[in-house]
Amino acid sequence: MDTIASLFSFITTPVSWVIVQFHTVYGTIFGPDTGWAWGLSIVSLVILIRICLIPLFVKQIKATRAMQTLQPEMKKIQERYKNDKQRQSEEMMKLYKESGTNPLSSCLPILAQSPFFFALYHVLNGIATGKTIGVIDDQLLASARKAHIVGAPLAAKFMDSTDKVTALGATLTDVRVVTAVMIILMSASQFYTQRQLMTKNVDTTVKTPFMQQQKMLMYVFPVMFAIFGINFPVGVLVYWLTTNVWTMGQQMYVIHNNPTPGSKAQAAYLERLFKHVSHHGKTRNRREKAIVKAIVVKGRDRNEFERKFINGLNKAGLAAQTDGSVMKSDSAAVAQSEDGTTAAAATAPRRQQPKRQTKAQRQSGGTKPAEEETESLSLAKSDEPEDAPAAAGKKAASKPGNGTRSKAQSGQRKGPQRPKSPSKK
């Protein structure tokens, strides 16, 4: 244990110094030997560490969004190698390497805060064993050993013996009840955070090895916390419970305001955004403009929820612009349609197909449709005198190939009919 503590001495001293500074502040309010002073010092340490890790968390979000841009390619690989799981995994790893993404980027915040966790563990373990560590001297060590959180000493563990707990000024029942409740809350918060990520903020249309890993971690992490939690001092449980609650709140904020495309959270967010935009007639801030701009730029690659959002704006008389703004539009305005085309193009008249000719017209070799020829013939007949049929008949008979056409047209017009030719026996 001393060897491990010496390895983390470069961070144990800063962690102990931060705890002492917070204890000085809270000690003047609640008293230096109270559990409130030492407990709030640990909570403040967690908040300070997580604030410092916000840039890393933002990087994690960007890496996750980069993974989302690869979803169409992942889907193609799955369909192409659906019967060959090994080749599918190889192609997925090749895609990750070419795009520069890492499916395990979600573990970066946990890995980054691990050194602080081990440093705090060794500080509290030194308090439990009566050893000074870092900047915690004998006076602060005695004060920390007197501190109790809801009846449990700061350095007590679930597996401690009755004699050790009694030496710290507490009972074994109080220690085990408090530690058991904290372990349950710690595991439950971890499970809820991971489940919230898997059920609300994941594009379920594409199944990747990354999703399977996350689903496995959703069940593995709570069990690990429950197993290792029985050997953690109460102060470490306070640290880990606080960081889990912080992670859960941070994840809820991201899901609510910046959901993953194609997820259930995006559907709920776009529904709220549509109500706000349709009520005000415009996007209200830079973040909303960025989201609308990203949807417009996608064009035909929009998912189901994004197409529904754009179509809802069009029905409300609004048009989303390429810069992310929203403008009022009428029936003649150019607006984005469902498939990425414009409304003007969508309302363009369709070209009419030519009408099919009759059998008589095809045999006669005529080029005009029957209706046009009938109409022109009727107009010509109305302008001719009564004796014109005989002359017209002679003129038509003098032209080759017009007998069948005249015969077909004579049956369509009204008035006196041309005498039929005698039948050949």
Side-chain angles (χ1 to χ4, degrees), residues 124-132 138 141 145:
L124 296 175
N125 187 70
I127 294 174
T129 57
K131 296 179 180 179
T132 59
D138 293 333
L141 180 62
R145 290 177 66 86

Side-chain angles (χ1 to χ4, degrees), residues 303-355:
N303 58 45
E304 177 185 357
F305 310 125
E306 294 167 347
R307 289 195 298 267
K308 184 178 179 181
F309 173 74
I310 294 295
N311 291 336
L313 291 179
N314 293 338
K315 292 179 181 179
L318 300 172
Q321 307 300 315
T322 55
D323 61 349
S325 61
V326 175
M327 299 179 61
K328 292 184 178 181
S329 63
D330 50 19
S331 59
V334 177
Q336 293 289 332
S337 65
E338 178 179 351
D339 57 353
T341 59
T342 59
T347 58
R350 299 175 62 182
R351 187 179 66 177
Q352 297 182 354
Q353 298 292 335
K355 295 183 178 180

Side-chain angles (χ1 to χ4, degrees), residues 129-172:
T129 57
K131 296 179 180 179
T132 59
I133 186 171
V135 299
I136 297 180
D137 53 15
D138 293 333
Q139 183 180 357
L140 291 173
L141 180 62
S143 175
R145 290 177 66 86
K146 295 177 183 177
H148 289 67
I149 297 178
V150 199
L154 193 69
K157 303 177 185 178
F158 183 88
M159 299 300 294
D160 283 347
S161 61
T162 305
D163 296 337
K164 188 174 183 179
V165 173
T166 304
L168 294 174
T171 63
L172 185 61

Side-chain angles (χ1 to χ4, degrees), residues 95-142:
L95 180 63
Y96 296 150
K97 185 177 181 180
E98 292 177 352
S99 59
T101 56
N102 185 4
L104 298 178
S105 58
S106 60
C107 299
L108 289 178
I110 297 177
L111 296 177
Q113 66 177 334
S114 296
F116 299 97
F117 169 76
F118 284 112
L120 179 63
Y121 177 83
H122 291 301
V123 169
L124 296 175
N125 187 70
I127 294 174
T129 57
K131 296 179 180 179
T132 59
I133 186 171
V135 299
I136 297 180
D137 53 15
D138 293 333
Q139 183 180 357
L140 291 173
L141 180 62

Side-chain angles (χ1 to χ4, degrees), residues 59-115:
K59 186 177 180 180
Q60 174 194 357
I61 294 297
K62 291 182 179 180
T64 305
R65 293 294 181 266
M67 289 288 296
Q68 294 300 323
T69 60
L70 300 178
Q71 296 296 332
E73 297 296 329
M74 294 179 182
K75 194 171 184 178
K76 291 179 182 178
I77 292 175
Q78 288 179 351
E79 294 176 354
R80 185 179 303 173
Y81 305 105
K82 58 182 179 180
N83 297 325
D84 190 351
K85 298 298 182 181
Q86 182 178 357
R87 182 66 183 277
Q88 185 181 121
S89 300
E90 292 176 356
E91 293 295 328
M92 287 288 186
M93 293 298 107
K94 183 179 178 181
L95 180 63
Y96 296 150
K97 185 177 181 180
E98 292 177 352
S99 59
T101 56
N102 185 4
L104 298 178
S105 58
S106 60
C107 299
L108 289 178
I110 297 177
L111 296 177
Q113 66 177 334
S114 296

